[in-house]
């Protein structure tokens, strides 16, 4: 979905890959980003609900050209095409049906409430999804919360918090700068923004004189992706990839003082806590920010290491097919889309399941599998279940055992 609001926040974007000479880092303005990883014709959107196999197979396709900025360490998809992305009511990204995730989410909310005294405060979340984190902040801290997201659905809010949580189905822009803010949250959103420096400066201008506000961002941690060659975490709608250092440098450049940086959720999430400052902030760097040499080494070796990893997975899948095994993927989100696009373009994997009931009966983009409820695996009886996120392995093993199933399990 395209609106003038999107353009105001993220700007106009190139629809095609640029050469190294033409590419300019959207995080610091350095010229000559070097492309080190390319993939063609992948689904442009990973979390859109698609009602039929035909609509799934006809989704817009995009390209990935990951480039590394030697100036600030930022990694960016120079082939990202905003015209092909959609953030709307069809976007279904929630992880809130997993007990593992919910325990993490509640623990995070309690920690932030305790650390920053978030009780009876004004909270604003940019890119709030289905407002699950805002619900926690409202319930646990009795806070007054506003969530802005084009895909938010107020009807999914628990009745107990509806008087304290306001949902705005829109993209964030400076027109929302009149909201009082003690705590600003932005989780799993910045990686979707093609002009992150411009976006953060928009956020800073929106806060205006509210220099006492605390800002908390959460996003995928890119050093883990580089170290593990986590191809399943590289997809078109994630146009930006941040390490602790590149994220901190970006925040200071946008006018924030960095208070803390952490890596959470088994190393998958990068978090930053900051507050507005006047002008470019040149505060002392944290020890974890010294990562540019490692980024350069990981980028240089990424193609060969990824080739070896994919070769191993192709062997696993080939061996399973040779035995006539039924293979199921557990997880139907972005990781599954990347897995299928990369390793099963022929569509030999027919079973995809997910614990999120809002995804059941819809279809996987491009590959076209119908997303099953976990209970349907009883009839499918898979011989091999591939878990799209290792952190959920024990939860999934317990669910399979409760269904009387004992397949071989492999985790990404």
């Amino acid at each position: 979905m395209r609106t003038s609001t999107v353009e105001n926040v993220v700007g106009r974007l190139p629809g095609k890959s640029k050469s190294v000479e033409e590419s300019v880092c959207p995080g610091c303005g350095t010229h000559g980003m070097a492309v080190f990883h390319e993939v063609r014709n992948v689904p442009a959107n990973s979390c859109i609900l698609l009602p039929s196999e035909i609509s799934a197979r006809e989704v817009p396709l995009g390209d990935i050209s990951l480039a590394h900025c030697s100036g600030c360490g930022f990694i960016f998809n120079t082939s990202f095409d905003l015209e092909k992305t959609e953030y709307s009511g069809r976007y279904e990204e929630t992880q809130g049906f997993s007990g593992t995730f919910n325990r993490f989410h509640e623990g995070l909310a309690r920690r932030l409430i305790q650390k920053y005294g978030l009780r009876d405060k004004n909270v604003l979340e940019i890119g709030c999804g289905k407002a699950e984190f805002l619900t926690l902040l409202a319930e646990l801290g009795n806070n007054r919360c506003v969530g802005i997201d084009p895909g938010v659905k107020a009807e999914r809010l628990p009745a107990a918090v509806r008087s304290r949580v306001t949902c705005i189905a829109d993209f964030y822009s400076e027109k929302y700068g009149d909201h009082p803010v003690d705590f600003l949250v932005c989780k799993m959103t910045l990686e979707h923004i093609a002009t992150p420096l411009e976006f953060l400066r928009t956020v800073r201008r929106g806060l205006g004189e509210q220099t006492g506000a605390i800002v908390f961002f959460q996003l995928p941690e890119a050093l883990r992706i580089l170290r593990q060659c986590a191809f399943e975490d590289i997809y078109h709608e994630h146009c930006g990839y941040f390490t602790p250092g590149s994220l901190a440098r970006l925040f200071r450049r946008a006018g924030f003082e960095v208070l803390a940086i952490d890596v959470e959720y088994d190393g998958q999430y990068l978090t930053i806590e900051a507050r507005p400052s006047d002008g470019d902030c040149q505060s002392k760097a944290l020890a974890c920010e010294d990562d540019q040499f490692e980024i350069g080494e990981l980028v240089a070796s990424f193609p060969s290491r990824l080739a070896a990893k994919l070769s191993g997975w192709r062997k696993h899948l080939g061996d399973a097919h040779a035995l006539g095994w039924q293979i199921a993927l557990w997880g139907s989100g972005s990781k599954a889309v990347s897995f299928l696009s990369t390793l099963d373009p022929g569509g030999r994997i027919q079973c995809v399941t997910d614990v999120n009931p809002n995804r059941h009966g819809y279809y996987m983009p491009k590959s076209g599998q119908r997303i099953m409820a976990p209970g349907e695996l009883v009839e499918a009886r898979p011989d091999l279940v591939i878990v799209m996120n290792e952190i959920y392995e024990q939860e999934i093993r317990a669910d399979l055992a409760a269904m009387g199933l004992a397949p071989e399990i492999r985790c990404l």
Side-chain angles (χ1 to χ4, degrees):
M1 181 171 70
R2 293 280 289 155
T3 70
S4 59
T5 305
V6 181
E7 292 182 16
N8 288 340
V9 174
V10 301
R12 301 294 296 181
L13 300 175
K16 303 295 182 182
S17 177
K18 289 185 174 184
S19 69
V20 172
E21 292 75 18
E22 294 174 316
S23 296
V24 177
C25 175
C28 71
T30 296
H31 286 257
M33 296 184 75
V35 174
F36 66 93
H37 174 65
E38 294 187 274
V39 187
R40 299 299 178 212
N41 297 318
V42 300
N45 300 276
S46 299
C47 295
I48 296 297
L49 297 178
L50 301 163
S52 69
E53 183 178 348
I54 292 175
S55 65
R57 293 189 180 280
E58 294 178 348
V59 294
L61 302 179
D63 297 330
I64 294 171
S65 302
L66 291 191
H68 167 234
C69 174
S70 60
C72 69
F74 182 50
I75 292 171
F76 179 68
N77 177 16
T78 61
S79 291
F80 178 68
D81 190 345
L82 183 58
E83 298 289 348
K84 294 180 177 179
T85 61
E86 177 182 339
Y87 301 105
S88 69
R90 296 201 301 164
Y91 201 87
E92 181 58 48
E93 77 298 337
T94 181
Q95 297 166 272
F97 292 94
S98 162
T100 300
F101 180 78
N102 287 338
R103 287 189 290 275
F104 160 74
H105 227 201
E106 181 175 338
L108 176 62
R110 290 187 182 278
R111 175 173 69 81
L112 292 171
I113 288 170
Q114 177 66 27
K115 183 173 184 178
Y116 292 111
L118 301 180
R119 300 189 183 278
D120 300 306
K121 300 293 187 180
N122 296 303
V123 178
L124 174 68
E125 183 169 9
I126 299 171
C128 66
K130 301 304 179 284
E132 291 148 336
F133 196 64
L134 277 184
T135 294
L136 288 170
L137 295 177
E139 287 179 334
L140 300 174
N142 195 40
N143 294 297
R144 299 171 295 276
C145 301
V146 175
I148 302 173
D149 192 297
V152 70
K153 295 182 178 180
E155 64 272 17
R156 281 166 62 167
L157 288 173
V161 302
R162 289 180 182 174
S163 63
R164 299 199 301 279
V165 178
T166 300
C167 297
I168 301 173
D170 197 1
F171 294 90
Y172 177 78
S173 68
E174 284 183 70
K175 71 181 182 182
Y176 296 113
D178 59 348
H179 285 275
V181 179
D182 297 301
F183 190 74
L184 186 145
V185 185
C186 185
K187 294 169 66 267
M188 311 309 282
T189 297
L190 186 62
E191 66 274 16
H192 295 260
I193 304 297
T195 52
L197 179 58
E198 180 184 338
F199 173 74
L200 279 180
R201 284 175 171 165
T202 297
V203 173
R204 175 64 190 90
R205 289 193 298 269
L207 289 171
E209 299 301 317
Q210 299 181 96
T211 54
I214 297 296
V215 174
F216 175 82
F217 275 56
Q218 175 188 293
L219 55 159
E221 204 285 300
L223 274 180
R224 179 193 64 86
I225 294 173
L226 292 173
R227 288 167 180 159
Q228 299 180 10
C229 290
F231 66 94
E232 69 276 10
D233 286 316
I234 299 172
Y235 27 94
H236 179 265
E237 63 195 86
H238 278 195
C239 51
Y241 298 80
F242 294 90
T243 67
S246 62
L247 185 63
R249 289 184 279 275
L250 179 73
F251 264 73
R252 291 196 181 91
R253 196 170 290 112
F256 290 93
E257 177 187 358
V258 176
L259 304 176
I261 298 174
D262 205 354
V263 177
E264 306 191 58
Y265 210 52
D266 197 29
Q268 296 182 39
Y269 296 161
L270 177 62
T271 62
I272 186 167
E273 298 159 37
R275 63 185 170 207
S277 63
D278 294 325
D280 284 358
C281 183
Q282 302 300 324
S283 58
K284 183 178 179 181
L286 304 175
C288 64
E289 298 176 38
D290 185 17
D291 57 15
Q292 286 182 271
F293 179 77
E294 183 182 7
I295 296 170
E297 287 198 322
L298 290 170
V299 162
S301 64
F302 188 86
S304 60
R305 290 185 295 113
L306 176 61
K309 182 172 184 176
L310 294 180
S311 177
W313 269 107
R314 290 189 178 102
K315 183 179 187 307
H316 296 325
L317 294 175
D319 290 346
H321 283 298
L323 293 170
W325 282 10
Q326 174 80 284
I327 303 173
L329 302 191
W330 194 299
S332 67
S334 299
K335 293 175 190 287
V337 172
S338 291
F339 185 92
L340 292 169
S341 296
T342 303
L343 292 171
D344 191 37
R348 294 182 294 177
I349 298 173
Q350 292 302 309
C351 294
V352 178
T353 189
D354 201 291
V355 294
N356 181 353
N358 298 301
R359 297 183 67 82
H360 298 164
Y362 290 93
Y363 292 78
M364 296 295 292
K366 187 179 179 181
S367 56
Q369 295 92 336
R370 187 180 69 85
I371 301 169
M372 301 177 172
E376 294 182 70
L377 293 181
V378 173
E379 182 176 347
R381 305 199 69 80
D383 302 287
L384 170 64
V385 171
I386 303 175
V387 176
M388 294 293 98
N389 190 335
E390 187 175 16
I391 201 168
Y392 301 118
E393 179 182 0
Q394 295 308 312
E395 181 179 315
I396 290 168
R397 284 185 180 274
D399 288 345
L400 288 167
M403 290 185 278
L405 300 175
E408 180 178 321
I409 294 175
R410 289 186 179 270
C411 299
L412 278 177

